[in-house]
Amino acid sequence: MPEIKSIKDYRNGIKRVLISEEEIAAAVQKAGKQIDSIYDGSPILLVSILKGAFVFMADIIRAVSVPCEIGFMCAKSYYSGTVSAGTVKITMDLEQDISGYHVVIIEDIIDTGRTLYDVVNLLKTRNPRSMHVVTLLDKPSRRDPRVEASGFKADISLFTIEDLFVIGYGLDCAEYYRNLPYIAEYSPETEVE
Ligand code: IMP
Ligand code: MG
């Protein structure tokens, strides 16, 4: 388990609130309506990429009114600088056979974009009826040029942020801070080891 030297250090890790609870709630409601309008009453399968997206997932399912099932998967991507494609390792897979489903991927953040790009390509091989990507946060300035060149992007993105390391609302630093109800900028001066 990572060690926190003191509760003061822990609190100092929270530099400033970037997106408030209220701003998140309003954006989630709007995204829920967008999802409803895309599917117009057809059943969907919301797939959350763990662990970061679990809080967003819990809120987004209550903001959609189309019939929905949920699924979870855990993925890690490995890249080396010279290789043009990554290897995505699924550490926990979906239990559903997604063929024939309208799949909506729920992600916490698109940073380099490598993880999601690989997950989307993998899931496409399983013949879903359609696939859309919803991300809470997007850091376009960090995108891997190869992902950029592929034309890959989210269909719905709630907030675009600068190149900052953020915590809260499911996002972690060394597994901590996921329980903050807002999104904050992390202060690296106070390392959580
Ligand atoms: P990727 O670089 O787009 O493949 O992002 C991989 C993963 O890194 C994301 O799904 C997040 O779990 C994590 N990540 C990227 N940026 C941040 C951040 O600012 N805070 C917390 N986690 C992050
Ligand atoms: Mg993640």
Side-chain angles (χ1 to χ4, degrees), residues 107-115 139 164-166 171-172:
E107 180 58 306
D108 54 352
I109 188 164
I110 306 181
D111 187 41
T112 64
R114 291 165 183 162
T115 312
K139 281 194 230 174
L164 302 169
F165 196 83
V166 293
L171 290 122
D172 74 305

Side-chain angles (χ1 to χ4, degrees), residues 93-109:
D93 206 343
L94 288 167
E95 60 180 18
Q96 294 95 337
D97 170 1
I98 65 166
S99 61
Y101 273 95
H102 289 299
V103 173
V104 184
I105 298 178
I106 302 296
E107 180 58 306
D108 54 352
I109 188 164

